[in-house]
Amino acid sequence: DRGDSSAGTNGNGIYASNQTGLLLRNLHVRNSYYGVYLSGVTNSRMETVTISMIGRYGLYPIGGSDTNSFRYLDISGCVDHAVDMDNSSGNSFITCRISGNGGSGFYVATNSRNNLFDENLITGNDGNIWITSGSSYNSAVSNRIRSNGAAVRLSGGDTNRIYRNDISSNTLFIE
């Protein structure tokens, strides 16, 4: 547990590489280039974290950042995607609020598999859940997806499950 993390717009708010069992809780990360940058972080938890006013991605789990739990995140004001996941699998995003970001709420790319997006509020983003580039077996269930560009974009992945979501007032439903 730590207090407040602030960094200039050229740096990372929080950067972790090749860590296991990390706990990030009760933080506010703002005014940085990447909010939270995770590379090869596994079996870790991030809870009750606010990420705002970010120059690129709010949360950036890449390179085998697997089997992590993200709960009660509030990500807003990112220039690009709120969450950009690349080559990371088995993660869960539960009860997060993703709003007012320039890119997608959740961008799931390059062989990111078996991730769960459950009971999130995703609103006011350019896009919402975008699954691409060989990312398969992901599930988006019981999310409230409102007032985004495209509600769901599927391009390049297969066997993804999108069900029991409350989808309304988006520019496109599924692209």
Side-chain angles (χ1 to χ4, degrees), residues 107-114 130-138 152-162 175:
Y107 183 74
V108 184
T110 317
N111 299 315
S112 294
R113 299 172 178 266
N114 297 307
W130 187 353
I131 300 173
T132 186
S133 304
S135 296
S136 302
Y137 307 103
N138 298 289
V152 178
R153 290 180 178 158
L154 301 172
S155 58
D158 60 26
T159 320
N160 293 294
R161 297 171 21 142
I162 313 293
E175 178 178 39

Side-chain angles (χ1 to χ4, degrees), residues 18-37:
N18 301 315
Q19 300 290 314
T20 299
L22 190 64
L23 172 62
L24 299 172
R25 181 172 49 197
N26 300 326
L27 299 169
H28 186 177
V29 180
R30 64 178 178 256
N31 299 324
S32 59
Y33 189 68
Y34 293 108
V36 178
Y37 189 123

Side-chain angles (χ1 to χ4, degrees), residues 69-171:
S69 172
F70 302 96
R71 291 180 170 267
Y72 311 113
L73 306 183
D74 185 346
I75 305 176
S76 63
C78 300
V79 171
D80 209 330
H81 307 305
V83 176
D84 187 317
M85 185 172 10
D86 191 358
N87 275 318
S88 296
S89 299
N91 297 294
S92 61
F93 296 85
I94 300 172
T95 318
C96 299
R97 187 174 79 92
I98 309 296
S99 63
N101 298 289
S104 292
F106 292 104
Y107 183 74
V108 184
T110 317
N111 299 315
S112 294
R113 299 172 178 266
N114 297 307
N115 296 290
L116 172 65
F117 307 91
D118 188 14
E119 296 187 4
N120 300 294
L121 172 61
I122 308 159
T123 182
N125 303 290
D126 182 53
N128 177 18
I129 299 174
W130 187 353
I131 300 173
T132 186
S133 304
S135 296
S136 302
Y137 307 103
N138 298 289
S139 296
V141 58
S142 300
N143 297 289
R144 289 177 292 152
I145 303 169
R146 299 183 178 147
S147 303
N148 298 286
V152 178
R153 290 180 178 158
L154 301 172
S155 58
D158 60 26
T159 320
N160 293 294
R161 297 171 21 142
I162 313 293
Y163 62 100
R164 284 196 333 246
N165 294 285
D166 175 3
I167 301 175
S168 64
S169 301
N170 298 283
T171 304

